[in-house]
Amino acid sequence: MSLRSRLEDKSILTAPGVYDGLTAAIAEDAGFEALYLSGAAIAYTRLGRPDIGLTSVSEMADTMALIRDRVSLPVIIDADTGFGNALNAQRTMRLYERAGASALQIEDQTFPKRCGHLSDKSLVPVGEMAGKIAAMADARASEETLVIARTDAIAVEGFDQAIARAEAYVAAGADVLFVEAPRSGDELQKVASHFGDRVPLLANMVEGGATPLQSAADLEALGYSIVIFPGGIVRALARTAADYYASLRENGSNRPFAERMYDFDGLNQRIGTDAMLALGRRYEPG
């Protein structure tokens, strides 16, 4: 089922954040229907840096291709600002779509951008962002590939201007609307009340971010269609990694940490080593 078709179902779609083939495969095994490839997660893991616009379009496209080689689920991919003007945004669409993305999320920040839950952001003019949205829609090879328009205006221009910008982005052809970082449950409700019956809405849950954490069920009740948890897996693994390395340094052995990790056979079972080796044997001579 395409992502566009899935959004015709009124039940909310929960898309966990992933950043490589392993996390994508584990999320797929957990039963999720779609995934979210976060630019922040790539910055955190591949670069060991904050989400301040350091990742490149090629790094994102390469990661998308590796994930698509591993899983079949629809993937929503972070396109940041489109990495330039409308023509750059079109190239981003073509690169990501060829790599296997099902939807591209583009935002109205200037470049280099910042995480939507960091302060001191700045925005491009409304018309410039609307042009990027239209350009991406024109460049896509398949109408099944969605354009998700994100506005970061709440923190910069205020809530009312965020709504006005979002209206312009819907008019420009956005398939899904993402009003970033509502500061309260009331603002989440107002976004849903304004747009919920006209366009699918995406909510972003960031642990410790500007928006109060809501469950998927709570957001569905408000009228949201998609909820993403983009960086949760990195925060979980970073905490585990810190504990693991501290334990290894202190004890000189992994024995004290054994109950919190896969052993050799456990990880091979998790990633399907036996099945893949069996598949390879089908093509051996004789």
Side-chain angles (χ1 to χ4, degrees), residues 3-285:
L3 187 59
R4 186 182 294 276
S5 297
R6 172 60 179 81
L7 292 179
E8 294 175 2
D9 186 333
K10 295 304 180 184
S11 62
I12 196 165
L13 179 66
T14 301
V18 299
Y19 61 83
D20 62 5
L22 178 62
T23 52
I26 293 172
E28 183 179 51
D29 288 346
F32 289 100
E33 299 177 78
L35 307 174
Y36 183 81
L37 178 53
S38 160
I42 300 302
Y44 299 154
T45 58
R46 292 190 67 174
L47 308 182
R49 298 293 187 184
D51 180 21
I52 53 174
L54 298 174
T55 54
S56 69
V57 64
S58 57
E59 287 167 331
M60 291 296 295
D62 288 347
T63 304
M64 179 66 246
L66 292 171
I67 288 172
R68 177 53 67 223
D69 188 54
R70 185 63 180 84
V71 303
S72 59
L73 292 179
V75 178
I76 301 167
I77 185 171
D78 189 353
D80 283 342
T81 64
F83 299 95
N85 63 17
L87 296 180
N88 295 109
Q90 285 194 322
R91 181 167 185 260
T92 300
M93 168 60 79
R94 290 190 292 267
L95 287 171
Y96 283 10
E97 196 174 26
R98 286 198 299 268
S102 306
L104 278 70
Q105 171 207 304
I106 183 169
E107 64 204 51
D108 57 5
Q109 287 192 51
T110 57
F111 189 84
K113 53 75 55 97
R114 292 185 176 217
C115 170
H117 292 255
L118 290 175
S119 58
D120 298 324
K121 298 179 288 184
S122 59
L123 308 179
V124 299
V126 174
E128 181 178 338
M129 176 64 172
K132 290 184 186 183
I133 294 166
M136 292 174 73
D138 287 344
R140 59 188 166 193
S142 170
E143 289 297 317
E144 295 297 322
T145 304
L146 304 182
V147 177
I148 301 175
R150 165 178 148 180
T151 179
D152 285 69
I154 289 178
V156 181
E157 300 175 343
F159 185 81
D160 290 342
Q161 279 301 110
I163 294 297
R165 278 178 171 264
E167 284 281 10
Y169 303 161
V170 173
D175 301 296
V176 178
L177 192 59
F178 175 4
V179 179
E180 174 66 303
R183 297 161 295 190
S184 65
D186 182 59
E187 287 189 346
L188 281 167
Q189 174 67 70
K190 286 180 178 178
V191 172
S193 296
H194 196 93
F195 294 105
D197 60 348
R198 291 188 287 143
V199 62
L201 295 174
L202 183 150
N204 180 20
M205 295 293 105
V206 176
E207 300 79 8
T211 304
L213 288 180
Q214 309 284 320
S215 71
D218 291 338
L219 290 164
E220 180 180 316
L222 290 176
Y224 285 83
S225 300
I226 306 171
V227 56
I228 59 173
F229 294 82
I233 184 60
V234 182
R235 280 182 275 279
L237 290 177
R239 176 65 182 272
T240 300
D243 291 346
Y244 165 77
Y245 289 124
S247 175
L248 179 58
R249 179 70 180 86
E250 179 181 355
N251 297 291
S253 168
N254 283 329
R255 282 194 293 270
F257 210 81
E259 294 303 313
R260 297 182 59 188
M261 61 190 292
Y262 287 119
D263 65 9
F264 182 79
D265 289 337
L267 182 58
N268 277 304
Q269 182 177 4
R270 172 89 262 180
I271 61 178
T273 301
D274 288 346
M276 198 160 202
L277 291 175
L279 176 63
R281 286 193 290 271
R282 291 177 51 189
Y283 303 105
E284 292 176 357

